[in-house]
Amino acid sequence: MKLTTIKLRYQKRNSLPNILVVLFLLLFPVLCSAQQYNFSFHQTPVSTALLEVSNKTNIRISFDADNLEQFSIDGSLETDSVSAVLDWILDGTGYRAEFKYNTWLIYKPGEDEQKREPVEIHVSGYISDGETGERLPYATVFVGQKNAVIPSTVDGVFSVKLKENEQCFFQVRYLGYQSLDTIITITSSNSTLTLELQQKLQNIATIDVPGHKLEMLEVNNDAGHVTFNPRRFTDLPNFGEPDVFKTLQLLPGISTQENSSQLNIRGSSADQNLVTFDGFTLYNLDHFFGVFSALNPNVIKDIQVYRGGFDSRYGERVSGIVEITGKSGDKTKPRIYGGVNMISGNLTAEIPISEKLSLVAAGRRAYSDVYSSWLADAILAKQTGRGNRFPEADNAIEPEFYFSDFNTKLTWTPSKKDIVSFSVYGAKDNLNSSNIMERDNIEINTEDVNKWGNYGFGISWKTQHRANYFSELQLGHSGYYNDYYNNTTFSDSLNQQIPVLDQREHIATNEENKLLDYFLSFKNTVFLNTSNQLEFGLASRYTTFNYYKDAEEDVIYSKLEKSAMLYTGFVQDKISLTTKWAVKPGFRINFYDETDEFYFEPRLAVNYQVNDNVLLKMATGKYYQFLNKSATEQTYGYNRDFWILADGDRNPVVSSNHFILGTSITAGKLFFDVEGYYKSVNGLQEYLFKVPDRTPGETPSVEPGGEPLSLFIAGDGKAFGIDFLAKYQTLNFSSWVAYSLSKSIRNFDEINNGADIPALFDQTHELKWTNMLSYKRWNFSGVMQYTTGHPYVESTAKDDDFNVTRVYKRLPDYFRVDLSANYNFNIKRVNIKPGLSLLNAFNTENYLGVFVREFNFQGENFLETTPIKAQDITLNFFVNFSF
């Protein structure tokens, strides 16, 4: 069944017509009672006639368009009564008009149906954007007759069991859209509802619409689960353009890092999070040292964040999940939008190829290799050590850098029950940090080049088999590469004979890490009834990796290569025991061929709705990870850690146990959320290696085939803490405060004799305060961030058996305030949005870490250490456009 609900839609106009519209709305009942209506139809379908009545009288009408299209009307009528018009149109159809809940409801009464007991039937629905036709994932559907809340799937579909011919109240909510309230009468067992939502007017709206314009985040009922509205990213302060992952760092439990878009969630390393885009994995999240996300924000439709305790649908990681759904494109008209800033430019196009086929294409590129603005130069200087060195250092680093990425998504909708999509993504970075330094009259000339990138594609087919049964078949491929090359030449800078330098000498270091995966998955959702939503699926993934590291060809540290298959199945059930209690039991089982073992992952989440304002929640589960990054002592290059596959021996399978307990409280316009967590992790890895003696004119002190050059070590860890979120929301103002108190520690037998050492992303206190204000055509925002300093290794010593002694210190506390403002205006059909961001507005002195290079030269180890100072007060200008 195609449900059609007609309602008055507001258009963007100048002020005088808008005033007239408001006056008209206020006087509508009076005008309606005195107005004469004149309608004339000639063999017109009844559904078309009702649409015309709705447009001319400005009333809401809800009816079954498919059934009423079978009837036609012929004749003319003049009357002052809307009811009389509807009765005249419906005469002879067997349908009746009734005004209820501010809507004219068209339904077909039946005498025999009143005599028998109504039967329950499954009804499915589709939730979409009313303007573009794009499906809206994970919307919330409240069914009044069932007093139940039903979440839609990632494809915006839901199913509910209702009594036939029962009038049912539906309320649909989705972050960033006006809620939809409607009355629906179900008339057949194959009923299909189409519910369209309208985006909340903002930025250049000229009349007020009830509701919150500035919603950006929503805390879900499940522990650790948060939904983000990507449309508001552009209004936050930024270095270049909106960054997806740095915006997520404003949440409690996700550590703030100025120099990285990596996500350290609740005391875990970034590689322990699964980040997917349209189903395939993103292995690297950074562009330009984290100033930009590796994913273009213009192509994002929905972001779901799980900070732990995630359910059985997700696996292969032990910390968090970030599930990103890409846009499928406007199905009604072409749209082009993009922007330029002081570092890069981007362009996105949404093209409706046909009624059933749409295309989204986007591209970004930094032009810092062609023209480098002062902002790009400043960021490069900070991140590579130039301009931040110790007074005695004499580095001359002139880095060159650029990045680029692209997205393409083709979506085919052959029917309402089927969606086929093909999504492609690619990104690369190129950093050249070559430099010249001088030490003891010896000139050290270093060629230093680092290239890395992501790529992937996914093909999915989502279909509805029955009114209550949906499935998704997906296959795809992801890849990651990181190539590092360093060639250092030593020479006599004074052109005079030095005893230890009787000839020119050079050393070279090569490092490569490549990762490929191919996957196939089949996921199913069955709405058994209003209280049970069963989900189950099967998946397989083939992964291959290689890692190579040398110090010239005569010293090869590692040459690793491995492939493995992972087979997975999962089952879970979302059960509403009562109107207050909801449980989600489930499990995930894995078979990993490299170890020839099964790994069982039980999961459980429980919610208790104490009353309308208080919710209690908990989650626990077991998690395994078969692909992870090994930390390394490497002190040069940008991507220092590298991906490896577990083998159950030298590289163990990582495992973790999660325990989360929390509560959410609503008090008017205030919302509070508190979650405490504890998680243990086993199978953590570090990679240790020896630095060879590089005295010019002599061979390395470590020879191939002799003593070991490198070693993998395994250890354990734990993280615990409490995350607090307070949110205040009004029509034009939104503010939230995120605070985290946490601790993350690790243990390795080979490091400091097995004593606790801090994780390098450990932060005791973290406070973030975000504010957003919309005033007419203006948008203002401000972000305050305070964190205690990250730990770093001040010095390290290692014996021949790889026993390591480290001295840890902490950076100074970090404090920064960022401000932003942008203005919206139109030139004909083009919307233009210029804006300014003022970063570190108070010009506070902060430090991000240390840049360390280790040498063994003339039999003596020494370190060149450079503190990495954070960005000073910085002004960024950008212009976004759309038409």
Side-chain angles (χ1 to χ4, degrees), residues 577-627:
L577 299 176
T578 67
T579 57
K580 292 182 178 293
W581 283 98
V583 299
K584 193 192 310 184
F587 67 87
R588 192 175 183 93
I589 189 166
N590 309 277
F591 177 76
Y592 186 57
D593 72 346
E594 185 65 23
T595 60
D596 200 28
E597 292 184 13
F598 286 93
Y599 298 85
F600 184 67
E601 304 177 62
R603 315 274 177 86
L604 176 65
V606 180
N607 298 330
Y608 177 65
Q609 191 76 50
V610 179
N611 52 46
D612 291 341
N613 298 321
V614 180
L615 172 74
L616 302 178
K617 50 189 175 180
M618 66 81 63
T620 185
K622 180 78 172 183
Y623 303 86
Y624 287 99
Q625 183 168 334
F626 306 92
L627 173 72

Side-chain angles (χ1 to χ4, degrees), residues 123-424:
V123 177
S124 60
Y126 300 87
I127 302 168
S128 60
D129 186 305
E131 182 180 357
T132 66
E134 188 161 14
R135 297 280 183 87
L136 300 178
Y138 304 116
T140 301
V141 183
F142 173 73
V143 185
Q145 270 63 12
K146 294 290 185 179
N147 193 26
V149 176
I150 302 173
S152 73
T153 67
V154 68
D155 196 34
V157 300
F158 70 94
S159 180
V160 61
K161 206 171 185 180
L162 297 170
K163 291 182 179 179
E164 193 173 9
N165 297 302
E166 179 182 27
Q167 292 185 11
C168 188
F169 172 72
F170 284 83
Q171 182 184 74
V172 185
R173 296 180 63 244
Y174 186 72
L175 188 63
Y177 284 74
Q178 298 180 48
S179 62
L180 172 65
D181 299 339
T182 187
I183 304 295
I184 301 171
T185 298
I186 307 302
T187 58
S188 62
S189 60
N190 62 349
S191 298
T192 301
L193 313 180
T194 301
L195 303 177
E196 297 182 347
L197 303 185
Q198 303 298 318
Q199 290 190 34
K200 292 180 177 177
L201 299 181
Q202 59 186 26
N203 300 330
I204 58 176
T206 53
I207 59 174
D208 287 334
V209 177
H212 300 319
K213 294 182 182 180
L214 292 175
E215 287 181 330
M216 184 169 178
L217 68 91
E218 184 175 72
V219 178
N220 303 76
N221 287 352
D222 291 338
H225 185 192
V226 179
T227 301
F228 248 84
N229 178 7
R231 292 181 179 86
R232 297 313 309 270
F233 286 172
T234 185
D235 295 328
L236 290 172
N238 56 78
F239 276 110
E241 66 180 29
D243 184 282
V244 178
F245 302 112
K246 294 189 79 63
T247 303
L248 298 183
Q249 291 177 6
L250 299 177
L251 290 173
I254 303 181
S255 297
T256 298
Q257 298 182 68
E258 179 181 319
N259 62 330
S260 179
S261 293
Q262 302 293 328
L263 302 177
N264 295 117
I265 298 179
R266 290 181 169 173
S268 294
S269 58
D271 66 288
Q272 293 175 1
N273 307 313
L274 178 65
V275 181
T276 64
F277 178 75
D278 284 343
F280 57 82
T281 304
L282 300 181
Y283 289 103
N284 184 72
L285 307 184
D286 274 348
H287 273 326
F288 204 50
F289 306 102
V291 173
F292 291 85
S293 158
L295 192 60
N296 190 334
N298 287 340
V299 301
I300 296 175
K301 176 168 61 176
D302 180 84
I303 303 176
Q304 303 293 320
V305 182
Y306 300 83
R307 295 168 294 165
F310 43 91
D311 59 46
S312 301
R313 293 173 298 165
Y314 307 101
E316 303 183 40
R317 297 295 187 274
V318 298
S319 178
I321 303 292
V322 179
E323 183 183 26
I324 304 173
T325 304
K327 294 179 181 178
S328 57
D330 195 318
K331 297 181 178 180
T332 60
K333 61 182 182 299
R335 297 184 60 215
I336 297 177
Y337 46 94
V340 294
N341 54 71
M342 299 179 68
I343 297 175
S344 68
N346 69 80
L347 186 67
T348 303
E350 299 183 26
I351 304 172
I353 299 174
S354 68
E355 185 179 349
K356 297 183 178 181
L357 190 64
S358 60
L359 173 69
V360 177
R364 288 191 303 174
R365 195 188 192 282
Y367 41 78
S368 49
D369 58 327
V370 178
Y371 167 75
S372 187
S373 66
W374 65 266
L375 177 58
D377 287 340
I379 293 172
L380 279 171
K382 298 294 183 184
Q383 300 296 337
T384 58
R386 179 169 57 93
N388 304 283
R389 50 191 177 272
F390 289 134
E392 64 272 14
D394 188 23
N395 298 344
I397 303 177
E398 297 292 338
E400 296 179 358
F401 182 86
Y402 74 90
F403 70 84
S404 63
D405 60 49
F406 71 91
N407 291 84
T408 303
K409 186 174 182 179
L410 190 66
T411 304
W412 179 43
T413 312
S415 69
K416 286 186 177 180
K417 295 184 178 182
D418 296 274
I419 295 180
V420 180
S421 65
F422 176 68
S423 183
V424 182

Side-chain angles (χ1 to χ4, degrees), residues 863-879:
L863 298 177
E864 285 287 340
T865 305
T866 304
I868 302 177
K869 188 180 178 185
Q871 201 68 33
D872 299 324
I873 184 170
T874 303
L875 185 66
N876 176 47
F877 175 75
F878 66 89
V879 177

Side-chain angles (χ1 to χ4, degrees), residues 212 666-672 727-731 735:
H212 300 319
T666 303
K669 297 177 181 179
L670 287 171
F671 174 82
F672 302 93
K727 185 176 70 167
Y728 176 77
Q729 182 82 42
T730 63
L731 183 64
S735 177

